[in-house]
Amino acid sequence: MIQDLNIPGSPSTPAIQTDWQTGRLSMQGDSYPENAYELFRQVTDWTEAYLAHASAPLTLDLELVYLNTSSVKGMMDIFDLLEDAHQQGREVGVIWRYDSRNERIAELAEEFKEDCSYPFAITAMQAAP
């Protein structure tokens, strides 16, 4: 079993948590890091290991607010891993929650969803008063 990730968020990077036992990968916040490849490489490595060695379903739980171009590429890599796993019969899915006032991120999530054949839920959250 590979070590779970628990990467604290910063103003420019999302908080990232993984849970091997429950098959969950969570990301919350903005993503415009200086080195998106380095950040997302850890996530893709964990995802690849999980899909190779665990038999339980994998759920990607997102509450991303903003992604720069290199972060979009990193997310595409993760979604591609999930798609490959799904095509091989693995149970995978995405839950993307977003602030109902943030139409841009909703549109981005819809664009990602178009390329995925696995369950991909996009849910608007009401903003806190």
Side-chain angles (χ1 to χ4, degrees):
M1 182 171 91
I2 194 166
Q3 185 169 348
D4 277 320
L5 301 175
N6 190 3
I7 301 169
S10 76
S12 63
T13 59
I16 301 170
Q17 306 85 29
T18 61
D19 188 333
W20 190 281
Q21 295 302 109
T22 62
R24 186 164 296 274
L25 164 56
S26 303
M27 300 174 76
Q28 310 88 26
D30 287 325
S31 187
Y32 52 97
E34 278 188 38
N35 189 341
Y37 175 79
E38 189 176 297
L39 177 69
F40 281 94
R41 180 80 247 159
Q42 298 173 76
V43 179
T44 54
D45 286 350
W46 185 91
T47 303
E48 287 173 338
Y50 185 88
L51 292 170
H53 301 291
S55 58
L58 178 59
T59 301
L60 181 54
D61 193 350
L62 303 174
E63 288 183 31
L64 296 170
V65 179
Y66 171 80
L67 289 89
N68 66 359
T69 304
S70 54
S71 295
V72 167
K73 167 76 175 90
M75 291 305 302
M76 287 173 58
D77 291 344
I78 295 165
F79 292 141
D80 287 347
L81 289 173
L82 296 180
E83 184 64 33
D84 290 347
H86 177 69
Q87 296 297 330
Q88 296 168 16
R90 287 295 302 271
E91 192 177 333
V92 298
V94 173
I95 301 166
W96 193 320
R97 295 177 192 83
Y98 70 95
D99 183 324
S100 60
R101 298 169 300 184
N102 189 344
E103 285 303 312
R104 181 172 285 157
I105 200 74
E107 291 168 9
L108 177 62
E110 287 289 348
E111 288 176 31
F112 281 130
K113 181 179 181 174
E114 288 174 10
D115 296 329
C116 303
S117 64
Y118 49 84
F120 196 122
I122 303 169
T123 307
M125 299 184 303
Q126 294 307 314

